[in-house]
Amino acid sequence: MSFNSFGQMFRVTTWGESHGPAIGAVVDGCPPGVTLSEADIQPWLDRRRPGQSRFTTQRREADAVEILSGTYEGRTTGTPIQLMIRNTDQRSKDYSEIAESFRPGHADITYWQKYGLRDPRGGGRSSARETAARVAAGGVARKVLAALLPQLEITGCMVAMGPHGIDRARFDAAEIARNPFFCPDAQAAAQWAEELDALRKAGDSVGAVIEVTARGVPPGLGAPIYGKLDADLAAAMMSINAVKGVEIGAGMAAAALSGTENADEIRMGPGGPEYLSNQAGGILGGISTGQEVVVRFAVKPTSSILTPRRTVTRTGDETDIVTKGRHDPCVGIRAVPVGEAMMACVLLDHLLRHRAQVGEGPRGRIG
Amino acid sequence: MSFNSFGQMFRVTTWGESHGPAIGAVVDGCPPGVTLSEADIQPWLDRRRPGQSRFTTQRREADAVEILSGTYEGRTTGTPIQLMIRNTDQRSKDYSEIAESFRPGHADITYWQKYGLRDPRGGGRSSARETAARVAAGGVARKVLAALLPQLEITGCMVAMGPHGIDRARFDAAEIARNPFFCPDAQAAAQWAEELDALRKAGDSVGAVIEVTARGVPPGLGAPIYGKLDADLAAAMMSINAVKGVEIGAGMAAAALSGTENADEIRMGPGGPEYLSNQAGGILGGISTGQEVVVRFAVKPTSSILTPRRTVTRTGDETDIVTKGRHDPCVGIRAVPVGEAMMACVLLDHLLRHRAQVGEGPRGRIG
Amino acid sequence: MSFNSFGQMFRVTTWGESHGPAIGAVVDGCPPGVTLSEADIQPWLDRRRPGQSRFTTQRREADAVEILSGTYEGRTTGTPIQLMIRNTDQRSKDYSEIAESFRPGHADITYWQKYGLRDPRGGGRSSARETAARVAAGGVARKVLAALLPQLEITGCMVAMGPHGIDRARFDAAEIARNPFFCPDAQAAAQWAEELDALRKAGDSVGAVIEVTARGVPPGLGAPIYGKLDADLAAAMMSINAVKGVEIGAGMAAAALSGTENADEIRMGPGGPEYLSNQAGGILGGISTGQEVVVRFAVKPTSSILTPRRTVTRTGDETDIVTKGRHDPCVGIRAVPVGEAMMACVLLDHLLRHRAQVGEGPRGRIG
Amino acid sequence: MSFNSFGQMFRVTTWGESHGPAIGAVVDGCPPGVTLSEADIQPWLDRRRPGQSRFTTQRREADAVEILSGTYEGRTTGTPIQLMIRNTDQRSKDYSEIAESFRPGHADITYWQKYGLRDPRGGGRSSARETAARVAAGGVARKVLAALLPQLEITGCMVAMGPHGIDRARFDAAEIARNPFFCPDAQAAAQWAEELDALRKAGDSVGAVIEVTARGVPPGLGAPIYGKLDADLAAAMMSINAVKGVEIGAGMAAAALSGTENADEIRMGPGGPEYLSNQAGGILGGISTGQEVVVRFAVKPTSSILTPRRTVTRTGDETDIVTKGRHDPCVGIRAVPVGEAMMACVLLDHLLRHRAQVGEGPRGRIG
């Protein structure tokens, strides 16, 4: 509670609209004593920043984060951290058309129906711009996690664009940073570039599947029954704009498996139990197993396209609409750093909740 | 907050273990004045009850619900409703083996690692038996929804068992109640019966995909940004035992679509805007559109199987385990009424949250 | 959230009406591994139990608590603990008069106005009987606190009955258990007995002031700004039936002090800082100082009296009402164990919240 | 949850430190469609603003509020409202002394003990400056209340300064705005001015009692058992800096009453039930009666005084401290608008929670 907050102990509240003066996030419950400055957060925002390739929106936002509270002499004090990002490239264009007509696939119509008014400038609150605030909050979470779980690594990548998935045999984590798609398969990335160029020229867009993995999560995070780690991850990812599906481990494909295929067998390794597979995606009964936590989510194609679409106006007239503007032809690309940020926030929240209930001392050991 | 509660205004807290004296749910925030008795809730429990066909566990539980508080002279008073279901068929079997060894695919190992102890009898808190409490709470939600949204219909069904999906062309809602699979395709149901018999004999199990739709949801339920209807549905469904993926509308397949295919076009109908498709699953920007809300989730195959699986013991010894007992060969079947119950609870919660913020009066109209 | 829960990490949800089959509490978030049985909780309930002297209601309730979930082999498992107390002495008397007329000073009228219906039997949900569930939950909290903060002592007592306060010079903690008033001043207790006999005979009742102190609270519990320890204590105590005022340390009298009188000076003692006074009641800036935490609250006189009072009926007719039945002439007496229970719950909740954010390791040291 | 938020449906999260770049509040859950601009909020901030008389701190802050989000074309959109107030008069003085020594009566020592670090500049987060953010949020709440409950009036005043209370017979609401004490008794105000001048010269300070009343609250706001209106008011007021006691209606004095004196009798008036007294302070069973809601709270004397006080340093050395700077000799004065703001926020939150559960339609009527 309420509507614009997530997390229980590490609690993030975001605010702001696409074309207002600024957007931001208040991070409450952050552990004290962690070194933190804008320089720790900015790199994550830069990864999400628009205009870095021809495959994302050409809006030019510096996305420079300012810390307005919650630190002293470069360390967190345990009090709320206000992260503010000024909007600098809100073009004073004419929004009268989308103020009157509802863009198919957008939240225009539902905001209108719910609230009886809406801010049409760039989508207002429903703009993907809000995700910058999440990424900033995720930057704080990552800094705290680096102190509390130094071995933790969170990595997001795009594993499908439209109908074209990567070849898992070519998965190369180092490749992710080398192409504009956060794609771990160089060959797929090259192919996607061609595809996306064609789609852009055709005034169309395309969806994507994002995968976020967390390596080094200790066993024991998450809790029955409605505080399950996977349930919170599902909500976190589904709350990202344009996401229509979330999977943990084998995900939807688990339905097609038999019990013998699905249950990950266990052997003893040098450091404790080891699993012979990871269909579970690192979570059993809502609690982390110590394996990689694996989440995938589907991002629908950008609804703002140059192809005319049938719609209605506020007065109930039928019309066609073409959404001009500087839009991402594949909004999934920039969802990669957003998914990582959500993973970081959820894991930290559960780490704090775990030590609230169970403490930091020894728990159940095996062997 | 905390771990065993869900919902904000219509808030359900479940409690109880598989082999304790009882399980139950406290329902807080229920609107007053709604007629409610055990007879309103029992039919939903009966649908989930084990032992109704050879395809579900043979455990024999009456699953008789008792209302211990919150009603007076047959109507809700607005105070907390305690729903209790006594456990009657906890066999006094020997749990020493699973108390020592961890069943692959089960929460045994993670509960142990998290808490340092666990109730091994029938899975304790992680038993699917907990879902009876959800179904009871869902029964209350349905009764309230019937008063507040009389046109609302919630229907769950199984749309795939293992790799075998239904044929959408044969979808017949009336068929759902006629076969033991809640399957809307009679032909598929017949085929599944054969398949599942074979799997049972082989000591194996299988997964399933469940679809829950809500027809008659008014536009405007749900809220940006972390109170999105789809985010709450995702958490709700993912919190059900054995669920590994959740989809809204086109779901994971949305990733493979182009923007022209995905964005549901809008025309005016006699009663307001009408959509020419429903890729969105009835939700845009986290807010209901008035179309059918469509959620699907994948249930992994039952992990309790008769095929020996490799595992380790608490003392770190490697061993093989066979999970005897009265287990569902396809636990997805009984997830159908559970998914419906979660849908009912989430919708009612959002209806109450909506009228908190926006009231009952007129909002944005179209035409 | 919602209405019948309190606490964030150690979260208690109570349910039940005075004359229903049972009342109870669900305790969620309890740390695992703590030994717990009914015998740990029952003594606290026995202290609150009615009918122990002629100064409390003559209703005869065994108030026997049953643990229905959340423990295994005598230890908490970390899952929700359902505590149930059956109602055994609900007299089948005629409630038609109070069902029609509103008793002054009672919640009859406000429940009716809010909900449009109410359970009139014994006050329904607004009965002081609900506090038994708090005391049971407090028993769990005390058991956990005994494990986590073994030096902690929580002591409640009655420091005024009507206009008659105790003499602080005669304060003797050992005396509290020796008289039916939980009064630390034997002489005052004797006087109160006479007073209360007279009031009972006159068909009247009287208020009281309760003081609860916690000795051994470590510094650092509580948090700015809306999670202050004193703010949570204020809400906890004010939520007890009939409480009209709450004070921390000097309390309302702090208003009459000068700055030199009020601010507690500090010196170094062998174990750290020591305060030369405790006007603050052990809390500065919402965070515990390590001194005794001191809370006082005023309980209004029982509104159920034999003196006729003017009121109105549901149909708007003016009438007089006499509240017969088995009522406490000084309901403040039985509020003592309730106040202690709330103190225990709040302290444990804050201890868990503290270790969530700050951990168990070293924090700011002095000297 | 978490620490810096209050309210459930109308939810306020404040952030910022005394000497950081800005402070502010995020208001979430605000109903849509309410006209709102900075000009609606500024007057309330101006009432709390320092430096308006010689009796408050001479710090010169413009306290100009900026709305950064949540409105469009002058109306609330239902999305989070970010209210920011820049700090403009943070003197670059030397904080080294209070960074090393703990000021008695301040949160210096507890922040240090809890977090292991603190922002010593002007008290950091524990500064009374945080209350400006509350007043801003209260301004939003008042604007919404004006739309939803036009008859509502919230009035705060100071009813005692040190040991000197007002004479209720001279209570004149119009007088409150005419003197620098928000005092409804002109004669008392004149006397307080003399007293406070003397105290200031003596390097001392004094406490105060504030009373906030709300007239026009409909019956039915608040909810059993832990969502009681009085419990939430108690927490809200106790969370204000320096508050040590909270009373509803008769408050602590209720303890000294007999049942016949305390229970407010009821007669029928032209518009419904009328009470012959208001010992209850407008709340029965945690739910508003329709009478005036009356809350009082005690503010301790300012701890920052020029009289030397004994204390210790971080290294454990004993020392004396004199707190220079621009401090309020009676911090209670500026607590008046803060108390009003908290009343507004709590009432609006409960109004929204009420319509969530019970709706806007007819409830229990009398007559």
Side-chain angles (χ1 to χ4, degrees):
Chain A
M1 243 338 169
S2 186
F3 303 116
N4 292 277
S5 299
F6 72 95
Q8 300 292 345
M9 294 304 307
F10 183 83
R11 188 163 183 80
V12 176
T13 302
T14 70
W15 55 273
E17 281 84 37
S18 176
H19 284 59
I23 60 169
V26 188
V27 175
D28 197 8
C30 186
V34 177
T35 58
L36 182 75
S37 72
E38 279 90 349
D40 293 310
I41 302 169
Q42 196 60 51
W44 307 111
L45 281 164
D46 291 346
R47 290 182 77 215
R48 195 212 72 99
R49 194 152 46 87
Q52 303 195 87
S53 80
R54 69 184 183 277
F55 303 117
T56 58
T57 171
Q58 296 307 301
R59 182 168 169 167
R60 295 280 165 190
E61 287 286 2
D63 276 358
V65 67
E66 297 167 58
I67 298 175
L68 297 187
S69 65
T71 62
Y72 179 65
E73 297 184 340
R75 287 195 297 154
T76 60
T77 58
T79 61
I81 301 167
Q82 173 64 271
L83 305 166
M84 186 169 77
I85 301 164
R86 293 173 206 267
N87 292 326
T88 54
D89 185 22
Q90 321 97 297
R91 295 215 183 148
S92 55
K93 58 171 271 196
D94 180 7
Y95 289 99
S96 55
E97 189 184 5
I98 63 168
E100 290 309 314
S101 297
F102 304 109
R103 295 169 298 169
H106 274 282
D108 299 346
I109 191 166
T110 51
Y111 272 59
W112 169 255
Q113 288 179 308
K114 181 178 190 74
Y115 297 119
L117 83 168
R118 67 189 169 92
D119 179 349
R121 300 166 303 161
R125 181 72 180 146
S126 70
S127 168
R129 182 139 185 75
E130 183 272 343
T131 60
R134 304 175 186 233
V135 171
V140 177
R142 283 192 191 247
K143 204 70 206 296
V144 180
L145 286 166
L148 296 178
L149 291 181
Q151 79 285 12
L152 183 74
E153 273 175 61
I154 295 171
T155 310
C157 60
M158 203 161 118
V159 295
M161 190 191 81
H164 310 290
I166 61 164
D167 181 343
R168 292 270 166 185
R170 288 197 300 259
F171 195 108
D172 175 7
E175 178 60 29
I176 295 170
R178 289 193 206 117
N179 63 67
F181 297 98
F182 300 106
C183 176
D185 170 352
Q187 208 167 309
Q191 187 199 353
W192 294 354
E194 279 177 48
E195 298 266 354
L196 201 51
D197 277 327
L199 276 162
R200 269 199 307 139
K201 277 166 202 159
D204 210 338
S205 64
V206 73
V209 178
I210 311 304
E211 182 172 285
V212 182
T213 61
R215 190 175 295 112
V217 177
L221 301 196
I225 294 289
Y226 306 109
K228 284 179 174 169
L229 182 57
D230 38 2
D232 280 357
L233 284 170
M237 299 309 171
M238 195 65 96
S239 76
I240 300 172
N241 305 45
V243 172
K244 300 305 288 183
V246 181
E247 302 187 314
I248 307 290
M252 296 305 292
L257 300 176
S258 69
T260 47
E261 293 163 332
N262 180 69
D264 305 306
E265 294 181 295
I266 317 172
R267 298 280 82 176
M268 279 306 284
E274 286 180 1
Y275 294 81
L276 305 184
S277 54
N278 190 12
Q279 305 282 17
I283 303 174
L284 284 173
I287 301 172
S288 61
T289 62
Q291 288 189 282
E292 273 187 24
V293 172
V294 181
V295 183
R296 267 183 314 284
F297 56 92
V299 181
K300 72 181 187 186
T302 314
S303 299
S304 300
I305 50 178
L306 289 168
T307 311
R309 309 302 295 154
R310 287 174 286 178
T311 191
V312 299
T313 66
R314 217 155 63 170
T315 50
D317 296 312
E318 301 192 336
T319 184
D320 278 16
I321 194 164
V322 168
T323 310
K324 292 168 200 145
R326 300 161 293 167
H327 302 288
D328 293 276
C330 176
V331 76
I333 299 172
R334 294 202 292 133
V336 172
V338 181
E340 291 175 345
M342 297 310 282
M343 174 69 90
C345 290
V346 170
L347 288 177
L348 177 55
D349 186 40
H350 273 282
L351 184 66
L352 301 187
R353 288 159 76 177
H354 177 76
R355 75 178 184 185
Q357 187 184 19
V358 180
E360 297 177 287
R363 295 155 272 144
R365 300 189 174 282
I366 294 168
Chain B
M1 241 336 167
S2 192
F3 303 117
N4 293 276
S5 300
F6 72 96
Q8 300 293 345
M9 293 305 305
F10 183 82
R11 187 163 183 81
V12 176
T13 302
T14 71
W15 56 271
E17 282 84 37
S18 176
H19 284 59
I23 61 170
V26 188
V27 175
D28 197 7
C30 186
V34 178
T35 58
L36 182 75
S37 72
E38 280 90 349
D40 293 310
I41 303 170
Q42 196 61 49
W44 307 112
L45 282 164
D46 291 346
R47 289 182 79 215
R48 195 213 71 99
R49 192 152 47 86
Q52 303 194 88
S53 81
R54 68 186 184 275
F55 303 118
T56 59
T57 170
Q58 296 307 301
R59 182 167 170 167
R60 295 279 166 193
E61 288 285 1
D63 277 356
V65 67
E66 298 168 57
I67 297 175
L68 297 186
S69 65
T71 62
Y72 179 64
E73 297 183 342
R75 286 197 296 155
T76 59
T77 58
T79 61
I81 302 168
Q82 173 64 272
L83 305 166
M84 187 169 76
I85 301 164
R86 292 173 207 267
N87 293 326
T88 55
D89 185 23
Q90 322 96 296
R91 296 217 181 145
S92 57
K93 58 168 273 196
D94 181 5
Y95 289 99
S96 54
E97 189 184 6
I98 63 166
E100 290 309 315
S101 297
F102 302 109
R103 294 169 298 168
H106 274 283
D108 299 347
I109 191 166
T110 51
Y111 272 60
W112 168 254
Q113 287 179 307
K114 181 177 190 74
Y115 296 119
L117 82 168
R118 68 190 169 93
D119 179 347
R121 300 166 303 160
R125 181 72 180 144
S126 69
S127 168
R129 184 142 185 72
E130 183 272 342
T131 60
R134 302 175 187 233
V135 172
V140 176
R142 282 190 191 250
K143 205 70 204 301
V144 180
L145 285 166
L148 297 179
L149 292 180
Q151 78 286 13
L152 183 74
E153 274 176 61
I154 295 171
T155 311
C157 61
M158 203 161 118
V159 295
M161 190 191 83
H164 310 290
I166 61 163
D167 180 343
R168 292 270 164 184
R170 287 197 300 260
F171 195 108
D172 175 7
E175 179 58 30
I176 295 170
R178 290 194 204 114
N179 63 67
F181 296 99
F182 301 105
C183 177
D185 170 354
Q187 208 166 309
Q191 186 199 355
W192 295 353
E194 280 177 48
E195 297 267 354
L196 199 52
D197 277 329
L199 277 162
R200 271 200 306 139
K201 278 166 200 157
D204 210 339
S205 64
V206 73
V209 178
I210 310 305
E211 182 171 286
V212 182
T213 60
R215 189 174 295 111
V217 177
L221 301 195
I225 294 289
Y226 305 110
K228 284 180 174 169
L229 182 57
D230 38 2
D232 280 359
L233 284 170
M237 300 307 171
M238 195 66 95
S239 77
I240 300 172
N241 306 43
V243 172
K244 301 304 287 183
V246 181
E247 302 187 314
I248 306 291
M252 296 304 293
L257 299 176
S258 69
T260 47
E261 292 164 329
N262 180 69
D264 304 305
E265 293 182 294
I266 317 174
R267 298 279 83 177
M268 279 306 285
E274 286 181 2
Y275 294 82
L276 305 184
S277 54
N278 191 11
Q279 305 283 17
I283 302 174
L284 285 173
I287 301 172
S288 61
T289 61
Q291 287 190 281
E292 275 188 22
V293 172
V294 182
V295 182
R296 270 182 313 283
F297 56 92
V299 181
K300 72 181 186 185
T302 315
S303 299
S304 300
I305 51 178
L306 289 168
T307 311
R309 309 303 294 154
R310 288 174 285 180
T311 191
V312 299
T313 67
R314 217 156 61 171
T315 50
D317 297 312
E318 300 191 337
T319 183
D320 279 15
I321 195 164
V322 168
T323 309
K324 291 169 201 147
R326 301 161 292 165
H327 302 288
D328 292 275
C330 176
V331 76
I333 299 172
R334 295 203 292 134
V336 172
V338 181
E340 291 175 346
M342 297 310 282
M343 174 69 90
C345 290
V346 170
L347 288 177
L348 177 54
D349 186 41
H350 273 281
L351 184 64
L352 301 187
R353 289 160 75 177
H354 177 76
R355 74 180 185 184
Q357 187 184 18
V358 180
E360 298 177 287
R363 294 156 273 143
R365 299 188 176 282
I366 295 168
Chain C
M1 239 340 169
S2 191
F3 303 116
N4 293 275
S5 300
F6 72 96
Q8 300 293 346
M9 294 304 308
F10 183 83
R11 188 162 183 82
V12 176
T13 303
T14 71
W15 55 273
E17 281 83 39
S18 176
H19 284 58
I23 61 169
V26 187
V27 175
D28 197 6
C30 185
V34 177
T35 57
L36 182 74
S37 71
E38 280 90 349
D40 294 310
I41 302 170
Q42 197 59 50
W44 307 111
L45 281 164
D46 291 346
R47 291 183 77 216
R48 194 212 71 99
R49 194 151 47 86
Q52 302 195 88
S53 80
R54 70 184 184 277
F55 303 117
T56 59
T57 170
Q58 297 306 301
R59 183 169 168 165
R60 295 280 167 192
E61 287 286 1
D63 277 356
V65 67
E66 298 168 58
I67 298 175
L68 297 187
S69 66
T71 62
Y72 180 64
E73 297 183 341
R75 286 196 297 156
T76 60
T77 59
T79 61
I81 301 168
Q82 173 64 272
L83 305 166
M84 186 169 76
I85 300 164
R86 292 173 207 268
N87 293 325
T88 54
D89 186 22
Q90 321 97 296
R91 296 216 182 148
S92 56
K93 60 169 269 195
D94 181 6
Y95 289 100
S96 54
E97 189 184 5
I98 63 167
E100 290 309 315
S101 297
F102 303 110
R103 296 169 297 169
H106 274 283
D108 299 347
I109 191 166
T110 51
Y111 272 59
W112 169 255
Q113 287 179 306
K114 182 178 189 73
Y115 297 120
L117 83 170
R118 66 189 170 94
D119 179 349
R121 300 166 303 161
R125 181 71 180 146
S126 70
S127 168
R129 182 139 186 74
E130 183 271 344
T131 60
R134 303 175 188 232
V135 171
V140 177
R142 283 193 192 246
K143 204 68 207 294
V144 180
L145 285 166
L148 297 179
L149 291 181
Q151 79 285 14
L152 183 75
E153 275 176 60
I154 295 171
T155 310
C157 60
M158 203 162 117
V159 295
M161 191 192 81
H164 310 289
I166 62 164
D167 181 342
R168 292 271 165 184
R170 287 197 299 260
F171 195 108
D172 175 7
E175 179 59 28
I176 295 170
R178 289 194 206 116
N179 63 67
F181 296 98
F182 301 107
C183 176
D185 170 354
Q187 208 166 308
Q191 186 198 354
W192 295 353
E194 281 178 48
E195 298 266 354
L196 200 51
D197 276 329
L199 276 163
R200 270 200 307 140
K201 277 165 203 159
D204 211 338
S205 64
V206 73
V209 178
I210 311 303
E211 182 172 285
V212 181
T213 60
R215 189 174 294 111
V217 177
L221 301 195
I225 295 289
Y226 306 109
K228 284 179 174 169
L229 183 56
D230 37 3
D232 280 359
L233 285 169
M237 300 308 172
M238 195 65 95
S239 77
I240 301 171
N241 306 44
V243 172
K244 300 304 288 184
V246 181
E247 301 186 314
I248 306 291
M252 296 305 292
L257 299 176
S258 68
T260 46
E261 291 164 330
N262 180 68
D264 304 305
E265 294 181 295
I266 317 173
R267 298 279 83 177
M268 279 306 284
E274 286 181 1
Y275 293 82
L276 306 184
S277 54
N278 191 12
Q279 305 282 18
I283 301 174
L284 285 173
I287 301 172
S288 61
T289 62
Q291 287 188 283
E292 274 188 23
V293 172
V294 181
V295 182
R296 269 183 314 283
F297 55 92
V299 181
K300 72 181 186 186
T302 314
S303 300
S304 300
I305 50 178
L306 290 168
T307 311
R309 308 305 293 155
R310 287 174 286 177
T311 190
V312 298
T313 67
R314 217 154 62 170
T315 50
D317 297 312
E318 300 192 336
T319 183
D320 278 14
I321 194 164
V322 168
T323 309
K324 292 168 200 146
R326 302 161 292 166
H327 301 289
D328 293 275
C330 176
V331 76
I333 298 173
R334 296 202 292 133
V336 172
V338 181
E340 291 175 345
M342 297 310 281
M343 174 70 90
C345 290
V346 170
L347 288 177
L348 177 55
D349 186 40
H350 273 281
L351 184 65
L352 301 187
R353 288 161 76 178
H354 177 76
R355 76 180 184 183
Q357 188 183 18
V358 180
E360 298 178 288
R363 294 157 273 143
R365 300 190 174 282
I366 294 168
Chain D
M1 238 339 165
S2 191
F3 303 117
N4 291 277
S5 300
F6 71 96
Q8 300 293 344
M9 293 306 305
F10 183 82
R11 188 163 183 80
V12 175
T13 302
T14 70
W15 55 272
E17 281 83 37
S18 176
H19 284 58
I23 60 171
V26 188
V27 175
D28 198 6
C30 185
V34 178
T35 57
L36 182 74
S37 71
E38 280 90 350
D40 293 309
I41 303 170
Q42 196 61 49
W44 306 112
L45 281 164
D46 291 346
R47 289 182 79 216
R48 194 213 72 99
R49 194 152 46 86
Q52 303 195 87
S53 80
R54 69 183 184 277
F55 304 117
T56 60
T57 169
Q58 296 307 301
R59 182 169 169 168
R60 295 279 166 191
E61 287 285 1
D63 276 358
V65 67
E66 298 167 58
I67 298 176
L68 297 186
S69 66
T71 62
Y72 180 63
E73 297 184 340
R75 287 196 297 156
T76 60
T77 58
T79 61
I81 301 168
Q82 173 63 271
L83 305 166
M84 186 169 77
I85 300 164
R86 291 173 208 268
N87 293 325
T88 54
D89 185 23
Q90 322 97 297
R91 295 218 182 145
S92 56
K93 60 170 269 196
D94 181 7
Y95 289 99
S96 55
E97 189 183 6
I98 64 168
E100 289 309 313
S101 297
F102 303 109
R103 294 169 299 168
H106 273 283
D108 300 346
I109 192 166
T110 51
Y111 271 60
W112 168 255
Q113 287 178 308
K114 182 177 190 74
Y115 296 119
L117 83 168
R118 68 189 169 94
D119 179 348
R121 300 167 304 160
R125 180 73 180 145
S126 70
S127 168
R129 183 139 186 74
E130 183 271 341
T131 59
R134 303 175 186 233
V135 171
V140 177
R142 284 193 190 246
K143 204 71 206 296
V144 180
L145 286 166
L148 297 179
L149 292 180
Q151 78 286 14
L152 183 74
E153 273 177 61
I154 296 172
T155 310
C157 60
M158 204 163 118
V159 295
M161 191 191 80
H164 310 290
I166 61 164
D167 181 342
R168 292 270 164 185
R170 287 196 299 260
F171 195 109
D172 175 6
E175 178 58 30
I176 295 171
R178 289 195 206 114
N179 63 67
F181 295 100
F182 301 105
C183 177
D185 170 352
Q187 207 166 310
Q191 185 198 355
W192 295 354
E194 279 178 48
E195 298 267 353
L196 200 51
D197 276 329
L199 276 163
R200 269 199 308 138
K201 278 167 201 158
D204 210 340
S205 64
V206 73
V209 178
I210 310 305
E211 182 171 285
V212 182
T213 61
R215 190 175 294 112
V217 177
L221 301 195
I225 295 290
Y226 305 110
K228 285 179 175 167
L229 182 57
D230 38 2
D232 280 358
L233 284 170
M237 300 308 172
M238 195 66 95
S239 77
I240 300 172
N241 305 44
V243 173
K244 301 304 289 183
V246 181
E247 302 186 314
I248 306 291
M252 296 305 293
L257 300 175
S258 69
T260 46
E261 293 163 329
N262 180 69
D264 304 307
E265 294 182 293
I266 317 174
R267 297 280 84 175
M268 279 307 283
E274 286 181 1
Y275 294 82
L276 305 184
S277 53
N278 191 12
Q279 305 282 19
I283 302 174
L284 285 173
I287 300 171
S288 61
T289 61
Q291 287 190 281
E292 275 188 22
V293 172
V294 182
V295 182
R296 269 183 313 283
F297 56 91
V299 181
K300 71 180 186 185
T302 314
S303 299
S304 300
I305 49 178
L306 289 168
T307 311
R309 308 305 293 155
R310 286 174 287 179
T311 190
V312 299
T313 67
R314 215 154 65 170
T315 51
D317 297 312
E318 300 192 336
T319 183
D320 279 15
I321 195 164
V322 169
T323 308
K324 290 167 202 149
R326 300 161 294 165
H327 301 288
D328 291 274
C330 176
V331 76
I333 299 172
R334 295 202 292 133
V336 172
V338 181
E340 291 176 345
M342 298 309 282
M343 174 70 90
C345 290
V346 170
L347 289 177
L348 177 55
D349 187 39
H350 273 281
L351 184 65
L352 301 187
R353 290 160 76 177
H354 177 76
R355 74 180 185 182
Q357 187 184 18
V358 180
E360 298 176 285
R363 296 156 272 145
R365 300 190 175 282
I366 294 167

